[in-house]
Amino acid sequence: SAVISQKPSRDICQRGTSLTIQCQVDSQVTMMFWYRQQPGQSLTLIATANQGSEATYESGFVIDKFPISRPNLTFSTLTVSNMSPEDSSIYLCSVEGAGADPYEQYFGPGTRLTVT
Amino acid sequence: AQSVAQPEDQVNVAEGNPLTVKCTYSVSGNPYLFWYVQYPNRGLQFLLKYITGDNLVKGSYGFEAEFNKSQTSFHLKKPSALVSDSALYFCAVRDFSGNTPLVFGKGTRLSVIA
């Protein structure tokens, strides 16, 4: 399995500002993913982050709003830009390829973002 | 495209009674199925998975799930519910034949009443 940490664990931000969320894994992993969980909702995939290439975004998510970095095999960041109250969600980092099962995904504890 | 349906928003069960949380899926290839649990203010915890082999899969905390290919279902079960099982449960699927990430159902909130 993998141990995943996220920073910050929670934040309250003003409308129009940006927040960068960090995800650190204790082992090298091939695939990293960013999910959003809006209040009372399920998890929605924002993008897949591969080291050495641009992130692949899902329908409805764009790089200008959610820029992602993946500088190495253990770290990734997600920025939520020009925030509005609709961006209030839990943002979760997930990794794949960290254990014996190459397709099993592990999740970080999440970052709870509130935009006022 | 792959998808997951969890038809129940909420399941209520008395402590000690058996519980079932329903899940059906749709994939174009072979399914790779998961159950995760989310406790308040905590991340997702892995419960169990099915990829191949025995249709009855046993997981953490006494949970099990049965893969039914003809009904495209993967219901989560536990013979005797505990109050501490109260949480939000997510079913998820990915297409085993493709390099696709997990797709989640909307979640089912389980409430076990003492």
Side-chain angles (χ1 to χ4, degrees):
Chain A
S1 65
V3 177
I4 305 168
S5 60
Q6 287 185 231
K7 291 182 181 180
S9 59
R10 59 177 62 225
D11 206 342
I12 301 173
C13 300
Q14 297 287 329
R15 179 196 301 260
T17 62
S18 297
L19 176 72
T20 295
I21 302 168
Q22 299 179 5
C23 176
Q24 180 74 53
V25 191
D26 68 342
S27 59
Q28 294 185 339
V29 294
T30 309
M31 306 284 280
M32 295 183 80
F33 308 93
W34 287 97
Y35 286 82
R36 181 175 73 181
Q37 185 180 19
Q38 294 178 299
Q41 303 294 317
S42 184
L43 280 76
T44 301
L45 181 65
I46 298 172
T48 301
N50 296 324
Q51 194 260 342
S53 63
E54 280 197 5
T56 304
Y57 289 82
E58 298 298 307
S59 176
F61 298 95
V62 295
I63 187 171
D64 289 347
K65 175 68 175 177
F66 296 102
I68 288 171
S69 78
R70 179 82 195 273
N72 57 51
L73 293 175
T74 63
F75 187 79
S76 177
T77 67
L78 169 75
T79 299
V80 186
S81 303
N82 188 24
M83 288 184 285
S84 67
E86 291 71 33
D87 294 320
S88 297
S89 295
I90 299 173
Y91 292 86
L92 295 112
C93 172
S94 177
V95 305
E96 175 189 285
D101 185 337
Y103 297 106
E104 190 161 326
Q105 278 186 235
Y106 302 92
F107 287 82
T111 296
R112 184 179 294 272
L113 170 62
T114 302
V115 184
T116 61
Chain B
Q2 55 205 43
S3 65
V4 176
Q6 292 181 244
E8 302 153 318
D9 292 335
Q10 172 95 29
V11 170
N12 298 318
V13 64
E15 187 176 30
N17 283 2
L19 68 88
T20 299
V21 182
K22 295 180 180 177
C23 170
T24 58
Y25 66 90
S26 174
V27 295
S28 56
N30 291 320
Y32 194 21
L33 294 153
F34 294 82
W35 275 101
Y36 287 87
V37 59
Q38 186 177 41
Y39 296 99
N41 300 315
R42 295 174 65 177
L44 264 68
Q45 296 181 30
F46 169 80
L47 274 181
L48 51 80
K49 69 182 179 190
Y50 170 84
I51 180 169
T52 187
D54 194 345
N55 288 345
L56 183 64
V57 179
K58 293 187 184 297
S60 306
Y61 312 119
F63 284 92
E64 58 188 30
E66 185 165 12
F67 170 65
N68 187 317
K69 188 173 183 178
S70 63
Q71 297 184 5
T72 61
S73 67
F74 190 58
H75 301 329
L76 181 70
K77 300 181 180 183
K78 187 173 183 181
S80 179
L82 300 172
V83 172
S84 57
D85 293 329
S86 299
L88 188 57
Y89 290 81
F90 290 100
C91 181
V93 67
R94 70 187 305 177
D95 189 334
F96 182 56
S97 59
N99 192 18
T100 58
L102 280 175
V103 172
F104 284 83
K106 65 178 181 178
T108 298
R109 186 164 299 281
L110 173 68
S111 180
V112 181
I113 304 160

